Amino acid sequence: MARNKYDIDETLQTEFNFSHLKRLATYIRPYRGDMIFTVFLLTISSALSMLAPVFLMKIMDEFIPDKNIAGIVIISVILLAIYFIISIILRMKITITSRLGQNIIHTIRADIFKHLQELPFSYYDDKPHGKIQVRVVNYVNSLSDLLSNGIINTITDLFSLFFIVGFMLYINVRLTLICLIGLPLLMVIIFVIKKKQRVAWQLSSNKSSNLNAYIAESINGIRVTQSFTRENENIKIFNTLSGDYSKAWMRAIRLNFLLWPSIENISTWTSIAVYVLGISWLDNGMKGITVGVLIAMTNYIGRFWAPINTLASFYNSLLTAISYLERIFETIDEPVLVKDYEGAVDMPPIKGEVEFEDVTFSYEDGLPILNDISFRANVGDSIAIVGPTGAGKTTIINLISRFYNLDSGKITIDGIDISKVTIRSLRKQMGVMLQDSFIFSGTIMDNIRYGNMEATDEQVMEAAKTVRAHDFIINLEQGYQTQVNERGTRLSVGQRQLISFARALLADPKILILDEATSSIDTETEILLQEGLNKLLANRTSFIIAHRLSTIKNSTCIMYVDNGKIQEMGTHEELLERKGYYYELYMSQYKFLEKE
């Protein structure tokens, strides 16, 4: 997916075709039994309602002239029974279609969410999260009416049209043909506005996506916004995006509403034609034209155009849904670039030997981040990775967990190429703490247990004690059962890091990956934490990224990475003696601390 942000409209990678509707049908198919039953009920309801004009015609032409009161009463009772049956059928229809529509929507949304769980980091790197969220929630919700009522109503109305036309032809062929004259004109109108409608709804969905992306970004960055008093500027951007969406939506709605007045006008014109010609033929004594016939025909004309109007509404809903379906299926079809290759096997229990062999990697074609990286970490080694910002340190540890595919080269663990094993079996044996200490909404206990759902409460507490998080946790109002907000906003940055660290440790990994694990922890806590880490790192292979060089002095090997290459590597003492890149970095930190 192309790089995108809130003020850039999304572009579809593929044009819409009818295979999208066929694909939608696969979601509907499991419920075809309920749909057929509902259509059957509505068809009966429609057929019963068609009898009313015939009964009315019979009353006007026969029972009233003959003063047949008993016949009128009988027909009235029959009509009352018919409308009672129709009301029961409509109630059943509402219940079934509502359940049916929500079940289908749930399945579509579940498919999107499941696919999003499998997509690689690169997908999320290139797209605002608000634009992803709008597809899972808003776009799927927009299909609700179409799936709950639109399809069934359309099928039913098609049957109704056959019934109506059949009854009209039965009553009078000539007047029926006059009524049908308006259909070709309606088809022309639909054909003219069809393409404009699709484009308009695509633009509307783009603007909605942009607005949602900016709202999500603004909420996530609200502390920065208020710190720099950017509220007024943000409101201006919001108003611009909201105004763009409003204009796009109004244009789409105006095009949608072209059909309804067109149908109303055509219906009125044909009704006038039937009245004028029918009364004229009635005055001239034309055979088959009676007052009852005219009343019945005008009644059927209203009924004839009502389902046409419903079909037009369904057509509008379909065009609207198409613009959302394109986005939904585009998301579901987004290729899972990092996936298990054919024939992949489960990773056996890891010992911890890691080797990079001529690894080259780039986020964008032609712009390599790593060039021919090679190194080896033996079981139990602690590998520290240092270097300037953007040098590729985090990229190296991301590749160990296979969050991205390599351009070339190979990474092995215990001599096994990690591209040949299943991703789940690989990552389950690693403990990872990334720079972003993400805390989920829920209890602190649940957050620590996130990496090992089978861990006991005692094991969770032991992990917290190891990373020195236990003391601050038990001082909270409910200890380990304290509820924290999304992203852990009730906790300090350092507290969030300690909880994330406990989460990684609880997984009891043979390979431990720490990306700036102590960056937000005060010096006193860091000293205590280091004691626990020394015990933890024993017999484990660890990769540590740290800007505080004091935390990595005891590492087995320190690698200085810059310009996509390992510029030098060795122990802390060896690199200081070499007086190269690492020496300059260490001395600059040492001088800075001296000034403090």
Side-chain angles (χ1 to χ4, degrees), residues 25-262:
T26 62
Y27 288 97
I28 299 171
R29 193 171 295 124
Y31 307 98
R32 59 183 179 272
D34 284 343
M35 293 190 74
I36 291 170
F37 177 66
T38 306
V39 168
F40 172 72
L41 289 178
L42 291 177
T43 302
I44 292 174
S45 171
S46 177
L48 289 174
S49 68
M50 293 303 109
L51 295 174
V54 175
F55 288 157
L56 184 60
M57 181 181 69
K58 193 172 187 64
I59 289 172
M60 295 296 295
D61 288 345
E62 296 180 23
F63 291 174
I64 290 179
D66 295 342
K67 298 181 180 180
N68 187 350
I69 304 300
I72 295 174
V73 171
I74 292 171
I75 286 181
S76 299
V77 171
I78 292 172
L79 285 174
L80 186 63
I82 286 174
Y83 285 120
F84 179 73
I85 293 170
I86 289 173
S87 67
I88 293 175
I89 289 174
L90 289 178
R91 182 180 177 84
M92 293 175 65
K93 173 252 183 184
I94 291 170
T95 302
I96 295 172
T97 55
S98 297
R99 183 184 68 242
L100 206 154
Q102 288 306 308
N103 285 341
I104 296 171
I105 284 173
H106 168 73
T107 305
I108 296 173
R109 186 178 286 121
D111 281 355
I112 299 176
F113 188 76
K114 178 183 176 183
H115 192 67
L116 288 173
Q117 301 299 298
E118 299 171 349
L119 290 175
F121 283 5
S122 56
Y123 176 81
Y124 299 96
D125 293 340
D126 293 342
K127 196 172 187 64
H129 295 175
K131 291 194 175 185
I132 299 171
Q133 180 179 315
V134 77
R135 298 187 179 207
V136 182
V137 182
N138 300 47
Y139 290 178
V140 176
N141 284 346
S142 297
L143 303 177
S144 178
D145 187 59
L146 176 72
L147 295 172
S148 296
N149 297 302
I151 295 174
I152 289 177
N153 286 348
T154 299
I155 296 171
T156 305
D157 284 336
L158 284 172
F159 282 115
S160 296
L161 275 177
F162 285 116
F163 284 126
I164 293 167
V165 173
F167 276 102
M168 289 171 70
L169 289 171
Y170 167 74
I171 292 171
N172 191 280
V173 175
R174 191 174 297 180
L175 291 176
T176 302
L177 294 177
I178 293 171
C179 181
L180 297 177
I181 287 174
L183 283 179
L185 178 59
L186 181 61
M187 294 299 105
V188 171
I189 294 172
I190 290 174
F191 181 79
V192 169
I193 66 173
K194 173 186 173 184
K195 187 173 182 180
K196 290 182 179 180
Q197 279 182 300
R198 178 174 180 262
V199 172
W201 280 113
Q202 280 182 347
L203 181 62
S204 176
S205 67
N206 281 340
K207 300 307 180 184
S208 171
S209 180
N210 292 348
L211 180 61
N212 199 78
Y214 186 70
I215 291 172
E217 181 180 297
S218 298
I219 291 171
N220 288 333
I222 192 65
R223 286 174 173 77
V224 178
T225 295
Q226 294 183 359
S227 298
F228 288 92
T229 63
R230 276 271 306 185
E231 293 91 340
N232 291 337
E233 289 80 358
N234 287 5
I235 291 170
K236 289 178 184 177
I237 295 172
F238 173 84
N239 286 337
T240 299
L241 294 173
S242 182
D244 290 342
Y245 172 55
S246 179
K247 290 175 185 175
W249 188 83
M250 287 301 296
R251 173 173 170 73
I253 286 296
R254 280 196 295 269
L255 286 169
N256 263 22
F257 284 166
L258 283 177
L259 274 182
W260 177 76
S262 299

Side-chain angles (χ1 to χ4, degrees), residues 250-436:
M250 287 301 296
R251 173 173 170 73
I253 286 296
R254 280 196 295 269
L255 286 169
N256 263 22
F257 284 166
L258 283 177
L259 274 182
W260 177 76
S262 299
I263 294 170
E264 286 296 309
N265 283 323
I266 294 171
S267 173
T268 301
W269 297 337
T270 53
S271 296
I272 291 171
V274 168
Y275 274 121
V276 171
L277 292 174
I279 292 172
S280 173
W281 292 335
L282 180 63
D283 290 340
N284 293 331
M286 181 175 288
K287 186 179 178 181
I289 303 294
T290 65
V291 173
V293 167
L294 280 179
I295 291 175
M297 284 300 296
T298 52
N299 197 314
Y300 277 126
I301 289 173
R303 292 169 181 263
F304 174 79
W305 288 104
I308 294 290
N309 204 0
T310 302
L311 291 172
S313 297
F314 172 76
Y315 176 76
N316 279 334
S317 298
L318 188 61
L319 286 177
T320 305
I322 282 171
S323 66
Y324 297 129
L325 280 174
E326 290 168 325
R327 306 291 183 185
I328 291 168
F329 289 143
E330 182 186 49
T331 304
I332 294 177
D333 291 338
E334 188 70 31
V336 180
L337 300 177
V338 180
K339 61 182 178 180
D340 295 339
Y341 290 115
E342 188 175 348
V345 297
D346 284 348
M347 186 76 182
I350 288 175
K351 296 177 182 177
E353 180 185 283
V354 179
E355 185 170 5
F356 276 54
E357 300 178 25
D358 301 320
V359 170
T360 296
F361 172 78
S362 59
Y363 293 105
E364 298 180 30
D365 292 340
L367 298 172
I369 300 298
L370 301 176
N371 282 296
D372 296 324
I373 294 285
S374 296
F375 68 87
R376 178 172 178 158
N378 294 317
V379 176
D381 282 353
S382 57
I383 308 296
I385 307 173
V386 299
T389 301
K393 304 185 296 295
T394 299
T395 300
I396 289 176
I397 62 173
N398 282 340
L399 294 179
I400 297 173
S401 297
R402 205 177 158 220
F403 289 134
Y404 299 90
N405 288 326
L406 306 180
D407 293 351
S408 62
K410 183 169 68 172
I411 300 174
T412 62
I413 295 179
D414 298 342
I416 300 172
D417 187 344
I418 63 172
S419 68
K420 307 298 183 185
V421 300
T422 61
I423 294 173
R424 183 175 178 82
S425 67
L426 172 68
R427 294 177 185 168
K428 284 286 284 185
Q429 300 189 64
M430 293 186 181
V432 181
M433 182 177 172
L434 302 175
Q435 275 180 309
D436 182 13

